[in-house]
Amino acid sequence: MSKVVPHSFFTDFDIDLFKGGKHFRLYNKLGSHLTEIDGKKGTYFAVWAPTAKSVSVVGDFNHWTVGEHELFVRWDSSGIWEGFIPGVDKGTKYKYKIHSNNNDIWTEKADPFARYCEQPPQTASLVWDDDYKWKDNDWMASRETKNSLDSPFSVYEVHLGSWKKKNGWESLSYLEMAEQLADYVEEMGFTHVEFMPVMEYPYDPSWGYQITGYFAPTSRFGKPEDFKVLVEAMHKRGIGVIMDWVPSHFPEDAHGLGFFDGSHLYEHPDRRRGYHPDWKSLIFNYGRNEVRAFLISNAIFWLDQYHVDALRVDAVASMLYLDYSREDGEWEPNMYGNNENLEALSFLREMNQEVYASFKGVQTIAEESTAFSGVTKPVNYGGLGFGMKWMMGWMHDTLEFFKKDPVHRSYDLNMISFSLTYAFTENFMLPFSHDEVVYGKQSLLYRMPGDEWQKFANLRMLFGYMFTHPGGNLLFMGGEFGQSSEWNFQESLDWHLTQYDFHSGIQEAVKDLNKMYKNNPALYEKQFSPEGFQWVEYNDRENTVISYIRKGNDPKDDLIVICNFTPVPRENYRLGVPKTTTLKQVFNSDDTKYSGSGMGKKTMKPTKTPWNGQQQSVLATLPPLSVVVYK
């Protein structure tokens, strides 16, 4: 095997951008790249290791021998080591063996920019590229209209390893999911699918949130181009793809980013800011220019190379606050004496600015659980610049309310109405995510009170309330058919349950809710604006009923939603309405096709009887534990 040939992909301008933290396409330069130099085919390697005294590429091509293929350090103090090795072909396994100037420490690391990794528990990087020819031009051309904030956002959250198993234990491949999962999401009517992290990760129980290969789809389910087939399959069906992205922390695994070149390269050197006590992981140094460039390049990479439509950014709250999950004395205030992580705030703003400037029709979504102000406000207005934010307060209050015995719900009706006091302070997405069905919290179905009939009626009602509440919505896999057990990442969803009427009824209700959501502009055109919502009655404690109007751009599209939170049917329930036109039922969670009782009027004609501040009203029949929607 030939020795290393001096070669560089970097211009002086590239290096200036990198040092300044402004190079956001680093994946085109750093890492391993198949190329041809002077008529010889091989691979160009480049890695950032400023504390190193030597960097060797070791792999199966040189029997993992240190010193056989040492890279050359650049002369410009960038800390980049690089070189071309002839004969190294696609699929070659490799790592970087780094000898540090720091106490002569040796590390052996996977490539931070590797496009493909060995399947865990193996940890080597693989030289890889593909010339995938995308065939999703129609979606990409129209994405701006389908993925905008005034479009429907009904998201199906998926853990790829456990959505469905074959042979009782084996996960489906990307290619199998490109057929089965894509068909299912289309059949159910969801507008988007959200993948829990697909970047390479070593430890299955982390669900993918402890990443070691930020630029590589996990090899558990196939090759990188196979994942592109899955994304494309969604796009061909008109389904947007959201990916979970984790710039908040990374694991200490020996082959990962931690202590990369014998120094705190990617992580903050102060443990008060560089170590996460909850997750036993390391925190990125957001104040270091090259680390910011690495992370923003990674966000751009998935949008650019994999045609992803949105990034859901994990654990944003942990990034915003220096004292997150820390006791007094375990953190240090910023220069202004408060607890905000100014470097992380600056990073998030810059990331969002670059993402939205670079791609049409994409979104970023923050999983942020505090009352931090301006998460979805534009950066030039002092916000963080996200497109949407998960409405964690709504999720918590709603599940707390629904688990109560209906006889007690009248005392806590404000738990339902309270969300509307702040619903339009951010662009909120309503999440019933994987976090709500693990660690002893039970499945959504078994968090509902009552006997079997009431549990399913409550769950149908919960989903009806979610779909008609302002904001986008997200449902974790299994919830859509009433999965009875908690989610277990090692096992398939309980698909056999769908043979039973109650479970298939839930599934049919979710299908129809998705259809209603997409077909009624009043539910999405102004979903983030107070102009899109009006209370009819929010304090009927005697009947434990709330009602409200959802509005779009055209008043003809207005919908009236009535929620009866008790198992007691309400006959002749008077409700004020804004118009004299006949109301037609568009959804009833108590429909017999969902295994409900079938109560409720199909149409209602208003009379000139003032009620609820309106000049006319109707006499409605409210089914037990139901959401009924009229147009």
Side-chain angles (χ1 to χ4, degrees):
M1 177 69 70
S2 301
K3 298 300 182 185
V4 180
V5 177
H7 188 73
S8 183
F9 277 11
F10 287 89
T11 65
D12 290 344
F13 185 53
D14 284 324
I15 296 300
D16 288 343
L17 287 175
F18 178 54
K19 287 180 175 180
K22 301 296 183 183
H23 200 309
F24 302 139
R25 304 293 189 281
L26 285 174
Y27 50 87
N28 291 327
K29 306 288 181 174
L30 287 165
S32 60
H33 300 271
L34 291 165
T35 189
E36 185 175 321
I37 306 295
D38 296 331
K40 294 181 179 179
K41 293 183 178 180
T43 300
Y44 164 76
F45 294 90
V47 62
W48 179 49
T51 309
K53 65 170 65 173
S54 70
V55 177
S56 294
V57 182
V58 296
D60 50 11
F61 66 95
N62 62 10
H63 307 291
W64 301 89
T65 306
V66 179
E68 283 284 306
H69 294 88
E70 285 194 2
L71 299 178
F72 299 96
V73 66
R74 290 185 62 89
W75 61 91
D76 48 24
S77 72
S78 63
I80 293 172
W81 298 73
E82 60 185 350
F84 172 73
I85 306 179
V88 172
D89 202 359
K90 182 175 179 177
T92 299
K93 299 173 185 176
Y94 72 98
K95 286 185 179 179
Y96 297 117
K97 190 73 174 182
I98 301 170
H99 188 195
S100 178
N101 275 307
N102 182 15
N103 296 322
D104 277 336
I105 292 169
W106 286 89
T107 62
E108 187 173 294
K109 296 292 185 178
D111 189 341
F113 284 85
R115 304 290 183 95
Y116 193 21
C117 304
E118 275 191 297
Q119 188 165 338
Q122 307 305 315
T123 58
S125 303
L126 275 68
V127 175
W128 204 260
D129 73 352
D130 68 72
D131 55 354
Y132 190 78
K133 301 293 188 290
W134 287 91
K135 298 180 286 294
D136 61 350
N137 292 342
D138 289 347
W139 167 266
M140 297 299 282
S142 63
R143 177 171 69 178
E144 205 168 357
T145 59
K146 296 177 180 176
N147 207 44
S148 63
L149 293 177
D150 57 359
S151 301
F153 261 84
S154 179
V155 183
Y156 187 58
E157 186 190 23
V158 175
H159 177 261
L160 292 176
S162 59
W163 178 71
K164 185 180 287 186
K165 301 277 192 183
K166 56 187 178 183
N167 307 321
W169 59 272
E170 187 181 354
S171 298
L172 300 184
S173 68
Y174 291 130
L175 296 179
E176 288 167 327
M177 286 184 273
E179 297 181 5
Q180 297 182 41
L181 177 59
D183 283 349
Y184 181 73
V185 176
E186 180 182 34
E187 178 194 351
M188 291 300 299
F190 289 98
T191 64
H192 293 74
V193 64
E194 178 175 323
F195 297 136
M196 291 167 67
V198 301
M199 298 84 172
E200 193 60 81
Y201 58 99
Y203 186 52
D204 285 345
S206 78
W207 310 334
Y209 290 97
Q210 299 274 10
I211 295 171
T212 50
Y214 271 81
F215 290 82
T218 179
S219 54
R220 288 166 173 81
F221 314 120
K223 299 174 182 177
E225 51 266 43
D226 296 342
F227 181 64
K228 292 181 179 180
V229 173
L230 173 56
V231 173
E232 186 175 86
M234 294 294 176
H235 287 170
K236 286 181 176 178
R237 292 162 174 80
I239 298 160
V241 176
I242 304 170
M243 277 180 60
D244 277 11
W245 184 52
V246 191
S248 48
H249 64 110
F250 58 94
E252 290 189 282
D253 292 64
H255 69 288
L257 297 177
F259 213 57
F260 188 82
D261 62 352
S263 73
H264 299 291
L265 191 62
Y266 288 91
E267 69 271 23
H268 199 285
D270 186 340
R271 293 285 275 190
R272 293 174 297 180
R273 299 181 64 176
Y275 182 74
H276 202 298
D278 286 356
W279 302 317
K280 305 294 187 290
S281 55
L282 301 173
I283 300 171
F284 286 102
N285 185 354
Y286 304 109
R288 189 163 194 169
N289 286 342
E290 297 90 343
V291 173
R292 293 165 72 103
F294 168 83
L295 286 170
I296 295 175
S297 290
N298 187 240
I300 296 295
F301 172 79
W302 292 101
L303 301 167
D304 174 27
Q305 298 289 300
Y306 284 87
H307 288 199
V308 168
D309 306 297
L311 296 172
R312 176 266 193 185
V313 184
D314 182 63
V316 171
S318 73
M319 301 170 66
L320 299 181
Y321 298 106
L322 297 167
D323 61 345
Y324 184 89
S325 197
R326 297 180 191 274
E327 303 295 332
D328 290 343
E330 295 179 346
W331 64 282
E332 186 177 47
N334 63 28
M335 59 189 288
Y336 301 114
N338 65 39
N339 65 341
E340 291 183 356
N341 188 333
L342 301 178
E343 294 166 347
L345 292 173
S346 168
F347 158 71
L348 288 170
R349 290 183 174 117
E350 187 169 28
M351 180 275 295
N352 280 318
Q353 283 181 307
E354 184 63 24
V355 163
Y356 282 105
S358 300
F359 301 96
K360 286 186 176 181
V362 299
Q363 298 292 344
T364 60
I365 305 163
E367 188 226 358
E368 203 284 304
S369 55
T370 74
F372 190 93
S373 178
V375 172
T376 59
K377 283 188 170 55
V379 172
N380 56 338
Y381 287 99
L384 292 184
F386 284 93
M388 281 177 272
K389 167 182 168 172
W390 276 17
M391 198 175 188
M392 309 294 277
W394 171 88
M395 175 274 299
H396 179 269
D397 288 349
T398 299
L399 291 178
E400 280 295 307
F401 177 83
F402 267 83
K403 80 177 185 182
K404 293 178 182 293
D405 188 301
V407 75
H408 301 304
R409 287 177 176 172
S410 63
Y411 305 109
D412 294 297
L413 206 54
N414 62 305
M415 293 180 75
I416 288 294
S417 59
F418 178 67
S419 63
L420 271 303
T421 64
Y422 67 96
F424 305 109
T425 58
E426 303 277 5
N427 299 335
F428 281 118
M429 177 175 284
L430 316 176
F432 289 139
S433 74
H434 63 274
D435 280 326
E436 308 319 312
V437 291
V438 289
Y439 299 143
K441 294 177 183 174
Q442 298 185 297
S443 65
L444 290 180
L445 177 65
Y446 276 89
R447 292 172 81 158
M448 302 296 110
D451 59 19
E452 184 181 45
W453 191 94
Q454 289 192 13
K455 285 185 189 302
F456 281 94
N458 268 301
L459 189 59
R460 295 192 301 270
M461 186 188 189
L462 176 70
F463 293 156
Y465 167 63
M466 175 174 74
F467 272 82
T468 57
H469 187 287
N473 54 71
L474 175 143
L475 182 58
F476 182 57
M477 62 181 199
E480 81 281 4
F481 62 79
Q483 169 97 0
S484 53
S485 59
E486 275 193 344
W487 171 54
N488 183 337
F489 73 92
Q490 295 174 304
E491 298 176 1
S492 171
L493 296 180
D494 294 332
W495 291 104
H496 65 277
L497 293 176
T498 57
Q499 66 185 302
Y500 302 111
D501 289 346
F502 276 133
H503 291 277
S504 63
I506 292 282
Q507 203 172 31
E508 287 301 312
V510 171
K511 280 185 194 177
D512 285 351
L513 283 166
N514 273 321
K515 191 181 300 181
M516 176 185 72
Y517 181 41
K518 291 188 289 188
N519 291 343
N520 286 277
L523 292 175
Y524 59 81
E525 285 181 340
K526 296 181 177 180
Q527 58 192 341
F528 303 122
S529 167
E531 297 174 353
F533 180 88
Q534 178 185 333
W535 281 113
V536 177
E537 175 60 75
Y538 62 86
N539 199 32
D540 183 359
R541 296 179 183 273
E542 181 180 349
N543 294 298
T544 321
V545 170
I546 63 169
S547 48
Y548 45 89
I549 301 172
R550 291 298 310 278
K551 302 178 178 182
N553 296 327
D554 189 339
K556 293 179 182 177
D557 295 329
D558 288 0
L559 298 177
I560 294 179
V561 183
I562 316 165
C563 306
N564 176 13
F565 293 110
T566 74
V568 181
R570 307 293 181 189
E571 300 274 4
N572 297 317
Y573 183 85
R574 188 166 292 280
L575 189 78
V577 294
K579 302 174 189 173
T580 58
T581 50
T582 298
L583 301 179
K584 295 181 179 179
Q585 187 186 105
V586 295
F587 178 79
N588 179 359
S589 69
D590 190 53
D591 198 302
T592 53
K593 66 177 173 176
Y594 313 140
S595 294
S597 65
M599 291 187 67
K601 298 178 179 179
K602 296 294 185 185
T603 61
M604 296 189 294
K605 179 69 177 173
T607 60
K608 290 287 187 179
T609 307
W611 204 260
N612 297 125
Q614 304 290 343
Q615 294 305 305
Q616 50 278 322
S617 59
V618 293
L619 287 176
T621 297
L622 307 187
L625 295 171
S626 68
V627 171
V628 189
V629 184
Y630 288 92
K631 187 171 184 177

